[in-house]
Every structure is written in structure tokens, then in C-alpha cells.
Amino acid sequence: MSGKVAIVTGGGRGLGRSYCLALAATGHSVVVNDLGGDLHGEGGDPAPAAQVVAEIRAAGGKAIANGADVSDWDAAQDLIESAVREFGGLTVLVNNAGILRDRLFANMSEEDWDAVIRVHLKGHAAPSRHAMAYWRAQSKAGATVHGSIVHTTSLAGLIGNFGQANYAAAKMAVVGLSHTLSREGEKYGIRSNAVSPSARTRIEASLGLNQGNAFDTFDPGNVAPFMCWLAEEDCPASGQVFHVYGDRIEVLAPVSINANFRNNQQWTVEAIDKALRGRLPAKPQLADFVPELGEGH
């Protein structure tokens, strides 16, 4: 495998842009993938990806722009192959591209559901599938592989969020995808992790601007060093879920046993009610994870 090579989907703006710049600064050749569509996944513009490429090259780095639709299986394969053709290999895939179609679930159209699931879930799965196949082939050919896949999840997926049933469902599914790829990729030198970032982007527009404080908690650049750490050849993390923002790194356990009840015989409805009523854990709140936003956010 040749050097350090990264693909960042949705790399033309916001968090994706910050990842591209940081990875380039740490020696990665970068494929900046971005359709350039609007927040709802409509339209297209090559300018955002081209601008990031220009910034990387101006700083002495190597980068190319790519406009592939990551939710298209064949286009995603060409995206992976473009990194190999241009830079001789692939070491890290950052699945970052996303859209929003927010609506109360009782009013949500099939189109709005399908569009968000397609971009967020299939748009993670398709590039990952072809990256996994590439790395597996390299490993079987005798190469030492240090492949890293980073999936973008969200607190909306982990705890739910009003008006975002489609987005939340996709983001929780991404966690399951990441866990599975971590298990399947281990024998080939492939790691997979999921990161929930809280930063000021088009998707997270509700996060306030810096109010003159010395440290801007929701600057997208705060998350970028963590992505670079996950890209490191000797990074120990795999199968993990992280929430990263500001100066915080939270290691999450989406599946854990909060309570364990036994009855020593087959349960009855009455016995279940007696055991569980009043003892179920409270629903997690956003402020549990991002105290700066407060309870009312």
C-alpha cells in the first residue's frame, strides 16, 4: 500500500472540509468527495470540493475532487478506485456525507424517508463495502493492511430527536453497520468506528455561534484531530462509538444492561409489571451529552 490516502465524503463543507484539511496536514493524500447539493440533497455544484482541493494544494498537499453519488453502488466503487488510481492505495475512509428532510413523522412522505435513508445509510454502506473488498484483496495478496473506516452517527440516532425519525433511524443503523464491519474486518487489518460530532454545520445549524469566548466549542475544527487519530496506523480503536465536540471526547456504550431482573420461573404479566414499574431508566436527554446546550435546547 502506498502512503497515507484518505477519502472524505461530503468533504466540501463544514465538518467534511475540516477533516480534509486536517488529514492533508498530517500527510494524507485526500479525495474530496462532494456532490455539492443543498441541505435537502437537491442540486449539485462542483465548486465546494474544488475549493477544498485548492486549499490543500496551496498548502503543499495532494488532493483531487470527486463528485460521485456515494449512495450509488457503482459510483461508490469508482470512488474507491479513484483513490487507488490517483494515489496508489487507500488507508482511511471517512463517511461524512449527509442531508436532512426534517418533518413530524405523522406528516413524513415516503420520498423524504427514502432520501435520508439512502444518503445516510446506503451512502455509508456502499463506499465501505468497496473499501472492505479492496483491503481484503490486499491482505489476501500478502500486504500488511491498516485500513480505517469512520462512520458518522449522531445523538439523534442514539437518543432520538423530534422531527428527525428518518435521520435518527439512519444514524442508529450506521452504528450497527460500524460494529459489524469492525468484526468482519479484524482479520484483514481493517478497523471501523462511529463518531457523533457536535459542531456548527449546515446540518447542525442550531448550534450557536461563538459569543466571543476564547474557545469556540462548536467549531468544526475541534473534531478534525480526532479523525486524524482514528486514521493513524497504530490507532487501537475499533468497534467503538464516540461523541466528540469542543474539548470533549465521550466514549459511548449504546448497548448496555442498565438493570437485570430474574424471576426463577416463567414470567407473568403481573410479575413483569411489579418488577419493572417505576424502575425503568429515564430517557437520555441531549443535555446529558452536551451540557453546554442546556435542558431547553
Side-chain angles (χ1 to χ4, degrees), residues 7 32-33 35 49 59 73-74 92-93 102 104 109 114 119 141 166 171 201-202 217 256 265 281:
I7 294 173
V32 183
N33 165 262
L35 275 172
W73 208 256
D74 293 334
V92 57
L93 167 65
D102 289 0
L104 187 69
S109 69
D114 287 348
V119 174
N166 47 6
K171 287 306 188 185
T201 68
R202 291 192 301 171
T217 299
S256 61
Q265 57 184 314

mmCIF file of all heavy atoms in Angstrom, residues 7 32-33 35 49 59 73-74 92-93 102 104 109 114 119 141 166 171 201-202 217 256 265 281:
data_model
loop_
_atom_site.group_PDB
_atom_site.id
_atom_site.type_symbol
_atom_site.label_atom_id
_atom_site.label_comp_id
_atom_site.label_asym_id
_atom_site.label_seq_id
_atom_site.Cartn_x
_atom_site.Cartn_y
_atom_site.Cartn_z
ATOM 1 N N ILE A 7 -10.186 9.157 1.845
ATOM 2 C CA ILE A 7 -11.388 9.615 1.152
ATOM 3 C C ILE A 7 -12.307 10.204 2.204
ATOM 4 O O ILE A 7 -12.557 9.579 3.241
ATOM 5 C CB ILE A 7 -12.115 8.462 0.434
ATOM 6 C CG1 ILE A 7 -11.267 7.908 -0.713
ATOM 7 C CG2 ILE A 7 -13.479 8.918 -0.083
ATOM 8 C CD1 ILE A 7 -11.861 6.664 -1.361
ATOM 9 N N VAL A 32 -11.460 14.423 -2.083
ATOM 10 C CA VAL A 32 -12.536 15.251 -1.538
ATOM 11 C C VAL A 32 -13.805 14.940 -2.328
ATOM 12 O O VAL A 32 -13.989 15.417 -3.449
ATOM 13 C CB VAL A 32 -12.195 16.747 -1.630
ATOM 14 C CG1 VAL A 32 -13.304 17.583 -0.984
ATOM 15 C CG2 VAL A 32 -10.855 17.047 -0.982
ATOM 16 N N ASN A 33 -14.654 14.122 -1.748
ATOM 17 C CA ASN A 33 -15.887 13.727 -2.430
ATOM 18 C C ASN A 33 -17.030 14.630 -2.001
ATOM 19 O O ASN A 33 -17.284 14.789 -0.800
ATOM 20 C CB ASN A 33 -16.231 12.273 -2.106
ATOM 21 C CG ASN A 33 -17.661 11.934 -2.491
ATOM 22 O OD1 ASN A 33 -18.551 11.942 -1.644
ATOM 23 N ND2 ASN A 33 -17.890 11.646 -3.750
ATOM 24 N N LEU A 35 -20.999 15.997 -3.837
ATOM 25 C CA LEU A 35 -21.893 16.306 -4.941
ATOM 26 C C LEU A 35 -22.171 17.800 -5.033
ATOM 27 O O LEU A 35 -22.543 18.300 -6.089
ATOM 28 C CB LEU A 35 -23.225 15.569 -4.757
ATOM 29 C CG LEU A 35 -23.325 14.130 -5.266
ATOM 30 C CD1 LEU A 35 -24.654 13.525 -4.822
ATOM 31 C CD2 LEU A 35 -23.221 14.090 -6.775
ATOM 32 N N ALA A 49 -16.072 21.179 -3.411
ATOM 33 C CA ALA A 49 -14.969 20.203 -3.401
ATOM 34 C C ALA A 49 -13.731 20.789 -4.050
ATOM 35 O O ALA A 49 -12.604 20.600 -3.564
ATOM 36 C CB ALA A 49 -15.395 18.924 -4.116
ATOM 37 N N ALA A 59 -1.425 24.613 0.286
ATOM 38 C CA ALA A 59 -0.634 24.347 1.487
ATOM 39 C C ALA A 59 0.425 23.279 1.252
ATOM 40 O O ALA A 59 1.117 22.868 2.188
ATOM 41 C CB ALA A 59 -1.549 23.921 2.635
ATOM 42 N N TRP A 73 -24.219 2.374 -5.855
ATOM 43 C CA TRP A 73 -23.273 1.272 -5.612
ATOM 44 C C TRP A 73 -22.081 1.328 -6.552
ATOM 45 O O TRP A 73 -20.930 1.196 -6.134
ATOM 46 C CB TRP A 73 -24.015 -0.051 -5.751
ATOM 47 C CG TRP A 73 -23.444 -1.178 -4.946
ATOM 48 C CD1 TRP A 73 -22.689 -2.219 -5.399
ATOM 49 C CD2 TRP A 73 -23.600 -1.390 -3.534
ATOM 50 N NE1 TRP A 73 -22.376 -3.063 -4.358
ATOM 51 C CE2 TRP A 73 -22.914 -2.582 -3.205
ATOM 52 C CE3 TRP A 73 -24.249 -0.691 -2.517
ATOM 53 C CZ2 TRP A 73 -22.865 -3.092 -1.906
ATOM 54 C CZ3 TRP A 73 -24.209 -1.190 -1.230
ATOM 55 C CH2 TRP A 73 -23.516 -2.373 -0.939
ATOM 56 N N ASP A 74 -22.341 1.535 -7.857
ATOM 57 C CA ASP A 74 -21.258 1.554 -8.834
ATOM 58 C C ASP A 74 -20.413 2.814 -8.719
ATOM 59 O O ASP A 74 -19.183 2.765 -8.867
ATOM 60 C CB ASP A 74 -21.823 1.432 -10.252
ATOM 61 C CG ASP A 74 -22.465 0.076 -10.516
ATOM 62 O OD1 ASP A 74 -22.068 -0.908 -9.840
ATOM 63 O OD2 ASP A 74 -23.354 -0.014 -11.385
ATOM 64 N N VAL A 92 -7.753 5.309 4.695
ATOM 65 C CA VAL A 92 -8.865 5.715 5.564
ATOM 66 C C VAL A 92 -10.034 6.211 4.715
ATOM 67 O O VAL A 92 -9.860 6.922 3.728
ATOM 68 C CB VAL A 92 -8.435 6.798 6.581
ATOM 69 C CG1 VAL A 92 -7.871 8.025 5.885
ATOM 70 C CG2 VAL A 92 -9.603 7.193 7.488
ATOM 71 N N LEU A 93 -11.224 5.776 5.106
ATOM 72 C CA LEU A 93 -12.474 6.232 4.508
ATOM 73 C C LEU A 93 -13.302 6.898 5.587
ATOM 74 O O LEU A 93 -13.638 6.268 6.597
ATOM 75 C CB LEU A 93 -13.244 5.053 3.909
ATOM 76 C CG LEU A 93 -14.700 5.312 3.512
ATOM 77 C CD1 LEU A 93 -14.790 6.331 2.379
ATOM 78 C CD2 LEU A 93 -15.391 3.999 3.119
ATOM 79 N N ASP A 102 -36.286 17.094 7.540
ATOM 80 C CA ASP A 102 -36.972 17.065 8.835
ATOM 81 C C ASP A 102 -38.482 17.275 8.660
ATOM 82 O O ASP A 102 -38.920 18.159 7.912
ATOM 83 C CB ASP A 102 -36.428 18.149 9.751
ATOM 84 C CG ASP A 102 -35.019 17.858 10.235
ATOM 85 O OD1 ASP A 102 -34.468 16.814 9.849
ATOM 86 O OD2 ASP A 102 -34.468 18.683 10.989
ATOM 87 N N LEU A 104 -42.337 16.139 11.098
ATOM 88 C CA LEU A 104 -43.026 15.295 12.074
ATOM 89 C C LEU A 104 -43.359 13.963 11.410
ATOM 90 O O LEU A 104 -43.837 13.937 10.271
ATOM 91 C CB LEU A 104 -44.298 15.993 12.552
ATOM 92 C CG LEU A 104 -45.051 15.330 13.705
ATOM 93 C CD1 LEU A 104 -44.240 15.429 14.993
ATOM 94 C CD2 LEU A 104 -46.417 15.992 13.885
ATOM 95 N N SER A 109 -43.308 12.151 4.215
ATOM 96 C CA SER A 109 -43.598 11.462 2.963
ATOM 97 C C SER A 109 -42.635 10.294 2.777
ATOM 98 O O SER A 109 -41.552 10.251 3.363
ATOM 99 C CB SER A 109 -43.464 12.421 1.783
ATOM 100 O OG SER A 109 -42.101 12.785 1.592
ATOM 101 N N ASP A 114 -37.142 7.910 2.264
ATOM 102 C CA ASP A 114 -36.201 7.177 1.412
ATOM 103 C C ASP A 114 -34.941 7.988 1.124
ATOM 104 O O ASP A 114 -33.839 7.425 1.083
ATOM 105 C CB ASP A 114 -36.879 6.796 0.094
ATOM 106 C CG ASP A 114 -37.892 5.674 0.242
ATOM 107 O OD1 ASP A 114 -37.917 5.034 1.309
ATOM 108 O OD2 ASP A 114 -38.669 5.435 -0.710
ATOM 109 N N VAL A 119 -29.098 8.398 1.526
ATOM 110 C CA VAL A 119 -27.843 9.140 1.624
ATOM 111 C C VAL A 119 -27.059 8.745 2.865
ATOM 112 O O VAL A 119 -25.851 8.495 2.805
ATOM 113 C CB VAL A 119 -28.103 10.661 1.612
ATOM 114 C CG1 VAL A 119 -26.805 11.424 1.867
ATOM 115 C CG2 VAL A 119 -28.705 11.086 0.277
ATOM 116 N N ALA A 141 -3.440 -10.851 -0.674
ATOM 117 C CA ALA A 141 -2.274 -10.848 -1.562
ATOM 118 C C ALA A 141 -0.964 -10.754 -0.791
ATOM 119 O O ALA A 141 0.116 -10.747 -1.383
ATOM 120 C CB ALA A 141 -2.375 -9.700 -2.558
ATOM 121 N N ASN A 166 -36.448 9.877 10.265
ATOM 122 C CA ASN A 166 -35.663 9.303 9.167
ATOM 123 C C ASN A 166 -34.166 9.408 9.442
ATOM 124 O O ASN A 166 -33.416 8.428 9.302
ATOM 125 C CB ASN A 166 -36.023 9.974 7.836
ATOM 126 C CG ASN A 166 -36.074 11.494 7.906
ATOM 127 O OD1 ASN A 166 -35.729 12.110 8.922
ATOM 128 N ND2 ASN A 166 -36.514 12.118 6.820
ATOM 129 N N LYS A 171 -29.012 7.021 11.403
ATOM 130 C CA LYS A 171 -27.802 7.196 12.209
ATOM 131 C C LYS A 171 -27.620 6.076 13.231
ATOM 132 O O LYS A 171 -26.489 5.722 13.573
ATOM 133 C CB LYS A 171 -27.825 8.560 12.909
ATOM 134 C CG LYS A 171 -27.589 9.727 11.963
ATOM 135 C CD LYS A 171 -26.307 9.540 11.173
ATOM 136 C CE LYS A 171 -25.916 10.744 10.369
ATOM 137 N NZ LYS A 171 -24.713 10.491 9.523
ATOM 138 N N THR A 201 -22.531 23.244 11.581
ATOM 139 C CA THR A 201 -22.518 22.921 10.153
ATOM 140 C C THR A 201 -23.888 23.247 9.590
ATOM 141 O O THR A 201 -24.782 23.717 10.305
ATOM 142 C CB THR A 201 -22.218 21.430 9.924
ATOM 143 O OG1 THR A 201 -23.322 20.654 10.416
ATOM 144 C CG2 THR A 201 -20.946 21.001 10.638
ATOM 145 N N ARG A 202 -24.101 22.950 8.312
ATOM 146 C CA ARG A 202 -25.441 23.128 7.737
ATOM 147 C C ARG A 202 -26.459 22.251 8.453
ATOM 148 O O ARG A 202 -27.600 22.647 8.664
ATOM 149 C CB ARG A 202 -25.425 22.782 6.242
ATOM 150 C CG ARG A 202 -24.658 23.747 5.376
ATOM 151 C CD ARG A 202 -24.947 23.490 3.902
ATOM 152 N NE ARG A 202 -24.591 22.142 3.492
ATOM 153 C CZ ARG A 202 -24.896 21.620 2.309
ATOM 154 N NH1 ARG A 202 -25.573 22.330 1.422
ATOM 155 N NH2 ARG A 202 -24.524 20.389 1.993
ATOM 156 N N THR A 217 -16.569 26.330 21.224
ATOM 157 C CA THR A 217 -16.927 24.944 21.486
ATOM 158 C C THR A 217 -17.406 24.210 20.241
ATOM 159 O O THR A 217 -17.095 23.033 20.042
ATOM 160 C CB THR A 217 -18.019 24.876 22.569
ATOM 161 O OG1 THR A 217 -17.519 25.460 23.771
ATOM 162 C CG2 THR A 217 -18.438 23.434 22.853
ATOM 163 N N SER A 256 -26.010 -1.503 26.527
ATOM 164 C CA SER A 256 -25.524 -1.933 27.838
ATOM 165 C C SER A 256 -26.725 -2.325 28.689
ATOM 166 O O SER A 256 -27.858 -1.932 28.411
ATOM 167 C CB SER A 256 -24.725 -0.821 28.527
ATOM 168 O OG SER A 256 -25.531 0.323 28.728
ATOM 169 N N GLN A 265 -38.677 -18.402 37.202
ATOM 170 C CA GLN A 265 -39.758 -19.179 36.596
ATOM 171 C C GLN A 265 -40.308 -18.347 35.444
ATOM 172 O O GLN A 265 -39.886 -17.209 35.250
ATOM 173 C CB GLN A 265 -40.872 -19.474 37.609
ATOM 174 C CG GLN A 265 -41.476 -18.223 38.235
ATOM 175 C CD GLN A 265 -42.500 -18.566 39.285
ATOM 176 O OE1 GLN A 265 -43.364 -19.418 39.076
ATOM 177 N NE2 GLN A 265 -42.403 -17.928 40.445
ATOM 178 N N PRO A 281 -35.027 3.001 33.472
ATOM 179 C CA PRO A 281 -34.186 4.200 33.419
ATOM 180 C C PRO A 281 -34.882 5.318 32.652
ATOM 181 O O PRO A 281 -35.676 5.078 31.745
ATOM 182 C CB PRO A 281 -32.927 3.722 32.691
ATOM 183 C CG PRO A 281 -33.357 2.517 31.922
ATOM 184 C CD PRO A 281 -34.428 1.868 32.736
#
